[in-house]
Amino acid sequence: MIDILKREWLTQPLQNILAGIVVSLALIPEVIAFSVIAGVDPMVGLYASFVIAVVIAFTGGRSAMISAAAGAIALLVFSLVKEHGVDYLFAATILMGILQVIFGYLKIGNLLKYIPNTVMIGFVDSLAILIFTSQLQHIFNISGVTYIFTVATIVIVYVLPKFFTKVPAPLIAVVLLTAISITMHADVRTVGDIGEIKRTLPHFFIPDVPFNFETFKIIFPYSLSMAVVGLVESLLTARIVDDTLESDSDKNKESRGQGVANIIAGCFGGIGGCAMIAQTVLNLKSGGTTRLSSLAAGSSLMFLIIVLGNYVVQIPMSILAGIMVVAAINTFDFGTFKFLKNARWIDMIVVLVTIILVLMTHNLAIGVIAGSVLNFVFNRKEVA
């Protein structure tokens, strides 16, 4: 027990806390943008991210993984919010969590081992492309100084670790370049331009919806979709972290942990969430290896909002975009080109279909499920 505590919480604590702070800075604009997609107040996403990141640090099955309000979930709930209101979203989030807890006890996580390597290649590469392309709006057609801040960020993040590693390079880039931007009154788009941040803490409440079968019929299809999509993304992210840290994780415990986190998020006025793959990669690249990095990400997120909100809104988006561009480049598996050159036509099609579907739908779960089914059909025919 003591060995597990040391390994999962106390290994290089300062490094993990600093990595969590870096992640929290990158979370804020992403979560605000996802909230807008879902048609809810930005604080709904920020509250959810705080609650989910903190809770999953204790309940999840994989250390060093970052979970928060996610874009894939936001895309699913827009019509629910538009037609029935935000309280139905909170109720759907709670039911989503309950379903994920049930999935965990049914050991649905064991199905992950049946996802083929070709689908994982397509999943990782399409993820990297999505991360990269999503940042372009914060870099181009804004102002000349935006390009300067972006390039400076990328240089700092790439070069600084060769000489200094005690503090994550992305954190240094954010603090240093934001100070320069504020001092110069630079013409850049900032976090505050994405959405309003209210400096208030979340509070517990029960969603104001009728507790009857009619409500269940309304929210169940959304909750089921949210639960499945969130679980697929979370378990695939866990697999990436497993490979990076060269250690196994309990996927069924992760499913239950995600469920508990979403139940609590719904009770605190938050949207549903799951593992954030880009932020998880950023956490790993910043030195995060334990549950403490996840806890630090959630805790510092709320600290930044409540205590340092006036400064956070002045962070140039080009700095955060530069950090995520580097994360995207590090995520992409450049060995894919060599793999495709020598692969069977079946494997080549599975990889490309997975990538194309993810890029078309912006839904990682759809690409992974379709790629897995296609791989099964092709290989079954080949065996037959």
Side-chain angles (χ1 to χ4, degrees):
M1 184 65 181
I2 295 177
D3 290 340
I4 294 175
L5 180 65
K6 288 182 178 179
R7 183 175 69 251
E8 295 195 347
W9 286 97
L10 302 178
T11 302
Q12 298 180 304
L14 179 59
Q15 176 179 298
N16 280 274
I17 290 172
L18 292 174
I21 294 173
V22 171
V23 170
S24 66
L25 289 166
L27 271 175
I28 292 174
E30 293 262 336
V31 170
I32 291 174
F34 296 155
S35 300
V36 172
I37 290 172
V40 297
D41 187 281
M43 296 310 297
V44 171
L46 292 170
Y47 286 155
S49 300
F50 160 64
V51 171
I52 293 171
V54 169
V55 172
I56 206 68
F58 296 95
T59 64
R62 171 72 264 178
S63 58
M65 199 158 76
I66 305 298
S67 295
I73 304 298
L75 288 168
L76 296 172
V77 300
F78 174 77
S79 59
L80 174 64
V81 174
K82 184 177 180 180
E83 294 174 17
H84 300 282
V86 72
D87 278 281
Y88 278 82
L89 169 63
F90 301 148
T93 298
I94 294 172
L95 180 57
M96 166 195 181
I98 293 171
L99 291 173
Q100 288 181 326
V101 171
I102 294 172
F103 292 159
Y105 281 110
L106 293 176
K107 301 187 183 304
I108 297 296
N110 292 343
L111 296 176
L112 185 68
K113 63 185 179 183
Y114 296 109
I115 295 179
N117 185 54
T118 47
V119 173
M120 281 300 299
I121 292 173
F123 168 76
V124 171
D125 289 347
S126 57
L127 164 68
I129 295 170
L130 282 179
I131 296 172
F132 181 83
T133 55
S134 68
Q135 302 308 311
L136 299 182
Q137 61 179 313
H138 304 304
I139 300 173
F140 294 98
N141 301 320
I142 299 174
S143 65
V145 73
T146 296
Y147 299 119
I148 296 174
F149 275 102
T150 303
V151 172
T153 301
I154 293 173
V155 170
I156 290 173
V157 174
Y158 263 123
V159 176
L160 190 61
K162 300 180 185 298
F163 307 97
F164 182 76
T165 58
K166 289 188 176 180
V167 179
L171 181 57
I172 294 175
V174 169
V175 174
L176 176 63
L177 296 178
T178 299
I180 293 174
S181 174
I182 294 173
T183 303
M184 293 175 54
H185 302 287
D187 179 22
V188 292
R189 183 181 297 165
T190 65
V191 170
D193 294 326
I194 305 299
E196 182 184 3
I197 296 179
K198 301 171 185 175
R199 296 166 66 181
T200 56
L201 287 168
H203 64 277
F204 180 87
F205 70 96
I206 301 298
D208 185 17
V209 299
F211 287 88
N212 55 33
F213 187 68
E214 187 64 30
T215 298
F216 179 79
K217 286 199 302 181
I218 292 172
I219 67 173
F220 180 75
Y222 292 98
S223 298
L224 181 60
S225 299
M226 293 159 68
V228 172
V229 169
L231 199 54
V232 169
E233 293 207 20
S234 296
L235 297 184
L236 287 172
T237 304
R239 182 163 162 178
I240 290 174
V241 181
D242 288 350
D243 293 341
T244 302
L245 298 182
E246 297 181 345
S247 61
D248 293 327
S249 60
D250 188 335
K251 306 302 186 297
N252 294 309
K253 181 180 178 182
E254 182 62 35
S255 176
R256 298 192 297 270
Q258 291 283 338
V260 171
N262 280 306
I263 291 170
I264 297 175
C267 292
F268 278 88
I271 189 176
C274 63
M276 300 279 284
I277 306 173
Q279 279 69 25
T280 296
V281 171
L282 179 60
N283 185 46
L284 295 172
K285 298 300 180 183
S286 300
T289 58
T290 69
R291 293 178 182 271
L292 185 59
S293 62
S294 305
L295 178 61
S299 303
S300 57
L301 175 65
M302 193 50 57
F303 177 82
L304 289 168
I305 292 170
I306 301 300
V307 180
L308 301 178
N310 289 338
Y311 297 100
V312 169
V313 295
Q314 298 182 69
I315 298 174
M317 285 301 302
S318 52
I319 299 174
L320 300 175
I323 292 171
M324 296 310 296
V325 164
V326 175
I329 294 171
N330 289 333
T331 300
F332 191 86
D333 182 3
F334 289 93
T336 301
F337 299 112
K338 183 178 180 181
F339 172 82
L340 291 176
K341 183 178 180 181
N342 301 311
R344 301 178 304 164
W345 69 269
I346 291 175
D347 295 333
M348 186 183 302
I349 290 176
V350 170
V351 171
L352 294 177
V353 166
T354 302
I355 293 175
I356 291 170
L357 280 178
V358 170
L359 297 181
M360 286 177 60
T361 63
H362 284 219
N363 190 321
L364 295 163
I366 290 177
V368 168
I369 293 172
S372 298
V373 171
L374 193 62
N375 181 81
F376 173 77
V377 171
F378 278 166
N379 282 290
R380 189 177 181 183
K381 285 184 177 179
E382 189 176 72
V383 170

